[in-house]
Amino acid sequence: MSDRTEWQPLRDELQRWSAAGRKAKLWFRDDDAIEPTPALDRLLSLSDRFDVPMTLAIIPGPSGEQLAERLASEGRVTATVHGWTHQNYAPDDTKKQELGLHRPQTIVLDELHRGFDKIKALYPHQFVPMLVPPWNRIDDALLPHLAPFGYRAVSVFGLAKQAPIGLVNTHIDIMRWHGVRGGLPHAEIIARLVEELQNRFDGNDEPIGVMTHHLVHDDLAWSFIAGLFEETAGHAAIEWRPVGSFVH
């Protein structure tokens, strides 16, 4: 185990879970996969090293056979649909969004239908019928129309709310998106993870999702992932699960 004191709050919380004979359910989601890259190789090597299952949110429009061939032998990886082209259609003064009503709803839904079919065809053994909206945003009006295409879940950010489709959300974002981009300070992410664990200990059984973006990681982000896996993989109080076990 790492001897870095920054991880002590997590160790203390996990000790509380262990003493109670309980396990927390975690899952890992990495966004924006399009093609094989050294960064993706680095992420997959961490998954292999620590035996942590990984969900890749793949952008269907620009992605193709090259990535599918690279991932075909990765037994810990599942493939999900990340919008269509990850293009922003929202006005400049609003938050970025591909899956809003800034375009005709029929066009947006057609892209989501095509994205589902394409990723399912490319990843017949790794596909999970889940939509990961770019920027974690989707207009509520679109949600009732997803099940007929085959979607069984949506994954955005934050504690799940009532929705017409299953939600398997992420709760921990390791990146700083404003100002100088890069990984957040480890202590800040660890504090958020401990807070989520405390919430689950008190009765919320929602799995905790950790979100990453391999293409924009700096050394701080990479070292956090390695540290997190080192601290949690194989821990008596942690169960890293493939996202498919939460999608029904």
Side-chain angles (χ1 to χ4, degrees):
M1 298 286 281
S2 169
D3 61 359
R4 290 168 293 175
T5 57
E6 64 192 2
W7 290 95
Q8 196 58 47
L10 177 62
R11 294 172 187 152
D12 292 343
E13 179 63 18
L14 293 183
Q15 178 57 39
R16 182 168 77 122
W17 282 73
S18 293
R22 295 175 58 183
K23 279 181 178 284
K25 301 185 293 289
L26 270 67
W27 72 284
F28 192 96
R29 190 190 100 197
D30 183 84
D31 291 3
D32 300 348
I34 296 174
E35 60 189 358
T37 62
L40 182 60
D41 287 342
R42 185 172 181 177
L43 186 70
L44 295 173
S45 71
L46 286 168
S47 172
D48 291 341
R49 177 182 169 192
F50 291 101
D51 194 22
V52 173
M54 199 156 287
T55 302
L56 291 184
I58 300 170
I59 305 173
S63 193
E65 293 285 354
Q66 195 177 12
L67 181 61
E69 291 169 3
R70 169 63 184 88
L71 297 176
S73 62
E74 297 288 343
R76 296 175 184 83
V77 169
T78 52
T80 61
V81 183
H82 198 30
W84 176 244
T85 57
H86 207 302
Q87 185 171 343
N88 175 37
Y89 294 97
D92 290 342
D93 58 345
T94 60
K95 292 182 177 180
K96 293 180 178 179
Q97 191 171 12
E98 180 177 43
L99 306 181
L101 299 183
H102 312 98
R103 301 176 291 158
Q105 181 172 298
T106 53
I107 292 177
V108 181
L109 290 173
D110 179 65
E111 290 180 349
L112 292 178
H113 195 175
R114 285 191 286 156
F116 182 99
D117 290 347
K118 183 173 181 178
I119 299 300
K120 183 179 181 181
L122 285 169
Y123 302 92
H125 305 298
Q126 295 163 297
F127 179 66
V128 171
M130 184 172 80
L131 172 64
V132 179
W135 298 286
N136 291 291
R137 298 186 188 106
I138 182 170
D139 195 281
D140 288 345
L142 300 173
L143 296 177
H145 301 282
L146 298 176
F149 302 152
Y151 289 104
R152 293 292 171 265
V154 169
S155 180
V156 288
F157 190 83
L159 290 173
K161 302 172 183 177
Q162 284 292 118
I165 192 168
L167 294 179
V168 185
N169 287 356
T170 55
H171 311 85
I172 306 295
D173 186 351
I174 76 168
M175 299 301 296
R176 178 195 290 114
W177 294 110
H178 303 289
V180 179
R181 285 194 174 189
L184 287 166
H186 292 185
E188 186 175 329
I189 314 172
I190 292 164
R192 292 179 183 177
L193 178 55
V194 169
E195 184 179 349
E196 294 293 337
L197 284 164
Q198 291 170 342
N199 175 275
R200 303 311 186 276
F201 195 88
D202 292 338
N204 184 341
D205 64 354
E206 184 176 345
I208 299 172
V210 177
M211 177 175 63
T212 64
H213 288 75
H214 65 276
L215 291 174
V216 295
H217 289 175
D218 60 359
D219 288 343
L220 199 61
W222 285 118
S223 62
F224 176 80
I225 297 171
L228 175 66
F229 288 176
E230 185 179 349
E231 295 287 339
T232 60
H235 195 289
I238 291 289
E239 187 177 4
W240 281 103
R241 299 265 292 270
V243 74
S245 66
F246 307 124
V247 177
H248 307 291

